[in-house]
Structures are given as structure tokens and as C-alpha cells.
Amino acid sequence: MSPPHGINPDVPHSARVYDFWLGGKDNFEADRRVAEQTMAAVPGVRESARNNRAFLGRAVRHLSRLGIRQFLDLGTGIPSQGNTHEVAQAEAPESRVVYVDNDPIVMSHARALLTSAPEGRTAYIEADVRDPRSILDHPDVLATLDFTQPIALVMVAVLMHIPDHDDPAGLVKAFTEALPPGSYLVLSHLTLDFLDEETAANYLSATGGQAMHRTPRTREQVAGYFDGFELVEPGLVAVSEWRDTPLFTDSATWMYAGVGRKL
């Protein structure tokens, strides 16, 4: 693909690396190189990425069937099959979705490809999750979502890109405090908890503890993001174990996943 204006194809980007793992075509040589290097160091990472994408669909479908009609999707990523609004509007065409990402290439694809059902509404804003007020106060967000009614906050594979010094727990709280009771948090996160000592050590050696600014966290840390929420069954589990059959059988599990209801 040719790089859009303002995009440096020589600098790998997490959204494009993820797109490669999902089988997409919106990536460059630098992204593919990092993706393949990571796959060599991290067995099962591509399968885990695809299971993570499948978790998004299962979670959105589950919440739609519970009556949720509003979704705020942070860290959208490059559009692939089973986007949030597609799943939600297949269940309830009147559903409203706001996509947020800080990558221009992601947003250019989103605006071109993510078309809402006529009964619902879909909006796209370019913003940084580390600045919650710029998102919560954005006119397109306020015009699309009603913050007096339950909203599902979607943070799938997002917080692992936020280093500790940016206070990811504080960011989650800033968003969830704006949601009314009965809202939901959909979240998945990179972890090393499920790995044997050798595999975890290989990962840390290959990435220096981070890969493309990815920070793995423990179950206790991930569970803390659900403060003020009641986890729905089956709780905080491996991403491939959250309801129904996984897309792939993980050779190694790299992600936690959970959905919680605000009390």
C-alpha cells in the first residue's frame, strides 16, 4: 500500500502490526518485520491476537442482547471483520458507536469503511486515550452518545500500550466515572501470567519488557481496572475462555479478558 500523507512507512505502528496478525493488508514492510520478529519470539501471539478480536465480537454481541445500545470504542485499530458497530447493529440497528484512535491511518480507514446502519449512528474522532476530557467533551461524542443512559466502554488491547507513568488505572477511572450505573467495561490486556518461566523470560529478553510500547500486567493489576464494576460470568479469564468456543486454540495464552457492569 502507498502511505497516506503524514504517515511514515518506515516506522512500525502497533495498529498496523496488529492488522498484519489479523490477516489485513493495511501495513508496511516495517510493520511486517516487527510482526514477524515478535511472532518468532512470542509463540502463539498471532493466534492470541485473533482470539482477542473474536472476544470483542462476543462481548459486544452479549451486551447488545442485554439491551446496550451505545458503545464508546477506544483504540479502534484498523478496520477488520467484526467491527463494534457491525456486531452491535446486526443485533440492534439503532445502536450508536463512537470510535476513537490517535493514528491518522486508522481514522482515515474508519471513516471510509465503517458505515453505520441508517437506523443507528457511528462517529469517529481522532484523539488520545491519555486525554480523557478531549474525548468525553468532544462534540461528536456528545452528539452521538447519551451519557444519562448505559454505555459500553470498549478498551480491547488498549491499556497495554499505556506505560505505568501515564497512570492507566487513573485513565480508566476518568472514563468510567463519566458513565451512568448499568454501563459496562469491555477490556482485554496483555499478560505473562499464563506462561511458563522460560517463555516469559524469552519474551522479556526479546522485547526489553515492552514491544511496540506494550506493557504486560498481572491479573491483580488488570482486575483493578474493574474497580466499581461487577464482573459478568465467567469473570476475568484468558481471552480464549470468555464465553463460547475460541477462534483458535492458544498454544500460549497472552491476554486476559473481562466484561464488568457498573454498580
Side-chain angles (χ1 to χ4, degrees), residues 199-210:
T199 303
N202 288 341
Y203 171 85
L204 294 172
S205 175
T207 64
Q210 296 185 350

Side-chain angles (χ1 to χ4, degrees), residues 126-138:
E126 188 175 328
D128 194 324
V129 68
R130 293 170 296 182
D131 185 3
R133 291 295 0 148
S134 71
I135 297 170
L136 295 170
D137 295 336
H138 195 285

